Amino acid sequence: MSVPLRLINLLLRLNTKRMLARMRDPSRLRRNFEFTARIALHAPRDSRFSEVEIPRTPTGALPALWVECGRPTSGRTILFLHGGAFVAGSPRTHRHVAAAIARAASARVLVPDYRLAPDHPFPAAVEDAADAYAWLCARISRPKAIGLAGDSAGGGLVFSTVLRAAAQGLPPPACSVAFSPWADMRGVNRSLKDNAASDVMLPAHRMPDVVATYLSGATADDPLASPVLGRFRDPPPALIMASQAEILRDDALGIARALRESGGDVRLEIWRGVPHAWPIFAGLMPEADRAIEIAGAFLRQHLQTGSDDTADAAGASLTR
């Protein structure tokens, strides 16, 4: 365990976990997340960003952020879905992670600003993620040039998007990557209790509140809410990473099992000593950087090249 990791674990336990345990206002949580990202989570120097709006009806355009870092291989594209418990987070809080993945995978990354609860409860986030994926499929010549990635809530949303895309008749992505996915809303997993003390970031007792806010009366048994219950048709290869000590450990085990039972090829990595969704600390600790390297290699292995029509939508040039 590196010295930076030890320090981050301590800060998370003393600050973040206590804050999340008592905070009830989602808007305040969003402001805190945005502020922390702005002062502490920085993208690589050669990162480039450009805003784009994905046209759709009837809910209006979906804002998103194009991210590049280094020299992307032609056509390789990753749809990255940010974490934040479905009530917080944005492309701004995760643009540094997206840039790190873009560099590691030699790909362009699209980060949609999907709608958040409580103003927009389930299934709004799933609909937005699926709309972004459909937009990419319509513009890139080879669907196998598109991969999905996400962390925490966004990690679970990756697999909800796979299910939704299949139901809509869209081609499957080339692969999926999920860091600490929240993939089961039922609150039945043993790690919620067993790891309540060892998880340095997430307070287990608040999970039912967040679930109620996100689902807003919908059933947790819906596979789009809890993709561990999904029946996947020919699921793409998946890389799933989680911490041994986090309360969502069993979510990672459960979605890996569901994919394997559907015939999917799954690489599951359970790390020791790291916090929930630790790749968000890319650039701050070697364990996060190593996870990004592994994810990038996995994405490069599975993503094909292909021409695309997204350049005009992204703008002629991307800027920091």
Side-chain angles (χ1 to χ4, degrees), residues 11 19 26 41 47 76 102 113 125 151 164 167 176 194 198 256 264 270 304 311:
L11 287 172
M19 180 268 292
L41 305 176
S47 303
R76 280 185 181 170
D113 197 1
D151 71 311
R164 176 93 173 191
S176 301
D194 293 349
S198 60
I270 304 297
Q304 298 178 3

Side-chain angles (χ1 to χ4, degrees), residues 11-36 88 200-203 205-206:
L11 287 172
L12 289 173
R13 184 176 292 280
L14 295 179
N15 184 19
T16 304
K17 189 172 185 177
R18 290 180 178 179
M19 180 268 292
L20 293 176
R22 63 176 182 268
M23 187 172 290
R24 302 283 175 173
D25 182 2
S27 62
R28 184 182 172 194
L29 177 61
R30 293 172 195 170
R31 291 194 298 271
N32 282 7
F33 199 174
E34 298 275 347
F35 176 76
T36 299
V200 299
M201 182 187 293
L202 300 180
H205 73 278
R206 292 300 312 280

Side-chain angles (χ1 to χ4, degrees), residues 254-274:
I255 192 63
R257 182 169 56 251
L259 293 168
R260 286 169 175 161
E261 289 175 352
S262 298
D265 179 14
V266 181
R267 177 177 173 182
L268 174 66
E269 296 191 4
I270 304 297
W271 291 43
R272 294 186 178 275
V274 294

Side-chain angles (χ1 to χ4, degrees), residues 59 66 74-75 83 105-106 117 129 150 161 165 180 266 286 289 299:
T59 55
W66 274 116
S74 176
S106 299
T161 303
S180 299
V266 181
D289 295 337
L299 288 158

Side-chain angles (χ1 to χ4, degrees), residues 65-76:
L65 187 71
W66 274 116
V67 181
E68 287 188 11
C69 189
R71 296 184 177 180
T73 300
S74 176
R76 280 185 181 170

Side-chain angles (χ1 to χ4, degrees), residues 165-187:
Q168 293 177 332
L170 294 171
C175 60
S176 301
V177 174
F179 306 119
S180 299
W182 189 15
D184 193 341
M185 297 285 152
R186 297 173 298 168

